[in-house]
Amino acid sequence: YIIFIIDTSGSMNGVSISQAKRAVQLAINALKPGDLFNVIEFNSATRALFRNSMAADSARIAEAQDFVRRLDANGGTEMRPALTRALREPPRETHLRQVVFITDGSVAYEDEMFSMIESDLGNARLFTVGIGSAPNSWFMRKAAEAGRGSYTFISALHEVREKMDGLFRKLESPQVTDIEVLWPSNVIVDTYPSTVPDLYLGEPVVVKARASGPFQPGDAVRITGNSVTGAWTTELPLNVPLDSEGVGALWARARIGELLDEERRGGDAAAL
């Protein structure tokens, strides 16, 4: 099920709020009868359409469209209560909770937001949508990374339909979730990201890895997860005859990013 969070603070005034409302309206229209959904708006205060997510029948979709149509941009930017409301809604065993957060990312307490996402995410997924000419793309990308989702950037009103259609195709088609990568026991492997994101239709998952030594003939990496049909696993042979400096640079960049995240979480800055 999907919870839409829409930023209606003063920084969204003008074209940005028009883009955001259009994005949510298109997403609501794409809901199917078996889906559950809710809409939460925030500025200085937080307001939810429903107390908890409801079935996407025609009456509730019409109610949601009217709710979104009436939204205006004004006031401050208090993201935390809105995101807390979405992430702490009771989970449903039959549905994967997906939170779509639409904002320009104008926030002064980024580290607190990251910490809250990491502590409260549970089994939910967070997808961020950056709106306007100059959203805080770094914050939006890192928030989606912490939320095991993805970041979508919409810079102009004419892009809204295309970008939201692409996002919704992704939300509808999680192929494998809860992915784990298991390496041969005879080699120490340092991999990033530490938590592997979900696999969606038409979009690869990339893991950067460095091994402490060579793999042995016949070694394979085992990948497990949960698919739409149940438990899923596969093995990939580790026949890598050539080194690649390009891959090394990608791994190094990912490692530096992880170290910076650990510092943000309160790790020993000097040691990191």
Side-chain angles (χ1 to χ4, degrees), residues 132-166:
S133 58
N136 185 346
S137 295
W138 180 84
F139 167 73
M140 305 288 280
R141 190 175 296 108
K142 295 298 289 185
E145 183 180 304
R148 300 177 70 179
S150 64
Y151 168 54
T152 301
F153 172 44
I154 299 175
S155 62
L157 199 58
H158 70 269
E159 293 182 349
V160 173
R161 179 177 291 278
E162 177 188 355
K163 295 291 183 70
M164 291 305 294
D165 283 351

Side-chain angles (χ1 to χ4, degrees), residues 2-5 19-32 35-39 56 61 64-65 68 100 102 129 154 160-161 163-169 171-172:
I2 301 179
I3 301 175
F4 302 101
I5 302 177
Q19 292 173 354
K21 290 168 65 172
R22 180 64 174 153
V24 175
Q25 288 169 330
L26 289 169
I28 290 171
N29 279 339
L31 292 169
K32 297 176 181 177
D35 294 334
L36 302 173
F37 81 107
N38 202 354
V39 183
I61 286 178
Q65 292 289 18
V68 174
V100 179
I102 303 174
V129 179
I154 299 175
V160 173
R161 179 177 291 278
K163 295 291 183 70
M164 291 305 294
D165 283 351
L167 175 59
F168 228 77
R169 283 194 300 271
L171 296 178
E172 289 175 337

Side-chain angles (χ1 to χ4, degrees), residues 36-47:
L36 302 173
F37 81 107
N38 202 354
V39 183
I40 299 172
E41 67 135 333
F42 73 90
N43 41 53
S44 300
T46 293
R47 182 167 62 113

Side-chain angles (χ1 to χ4, degrees), residues 157-209:
L157 199 58
H158 70 269
E159 293 182 349
V160 173
R161 179 177 291 278
E162 177 188 355
K163 295 291 183 70
M164 291 305 294
D165 283 351
L167 175 59
F168 228 77
R169 283 194 300 271
K170 183 186 300 183
L171 296 178
E172 289 175 337
S173 307
Q175 302 298 295
V176 185
T177 61
D178 303 315
I179 297 172
E180 290 190 34
V181 181
L182 306 172
W183 298 88
S185 59
N186 58 301
V187 175
I188 298 172
V189 179
D190 192 7
T191 68
Y192 303 98
S194 53
T195 300
V196 181
D198 296 335
L199 177 68
Y200 286 89
L201 186 64
E203 183 170 307
V205 167
V206 179
V207 176
K208 296 93 172 177

Side-chain angles (χ1 to χ4, degrees), residues 169-265:
R169 283 194 300 271
K170 183 186 300 183
L171 296 178
E172 289 175 337
S173 307
Q175 302 298 295
V176 185
T177 61
D178 303 315
I179 297 172
E180 290 190 34
V181 181
L182 306 172
W183 298 88
S185 59
N186 58 301
V187 175
I188 298 172
V189 179
D190 192 7
T191 68
Y192 303 98
S194 53
T195 300
V196 181
D198 296 335
L199 177 68
Y200 286 89
L201 186 64
E203 183 170 307
V205 167
V206 179
V207 176
K208 296 93 172 177
R210 185 182 72 169
S212 62
F215 295 111
Q216 302 302 312
D219 277 351
V221 58
R222 185 165 178 259
I223 306 169
T224 66
N226 296 314
S227 74
V228 290
T229 57
W232 176 89
T233 185
T234 191
E235 287 194 354
L236 300 174
L238 289 168
N239 300 323
V240 188
L242 300 175
D243 291 335
S244 171
E245 292 183 5
V247 172
L250 291 176
W251 175 88
R253 187 178 295 120
R255 172 163 170 74
I256 291 167
E258 184 82 3
L259 291 172
L260 291 170
D261 286 344
E262 288 184 32
E263 183 179 358
R264 172 180 55 77
R265 297 183 187 109

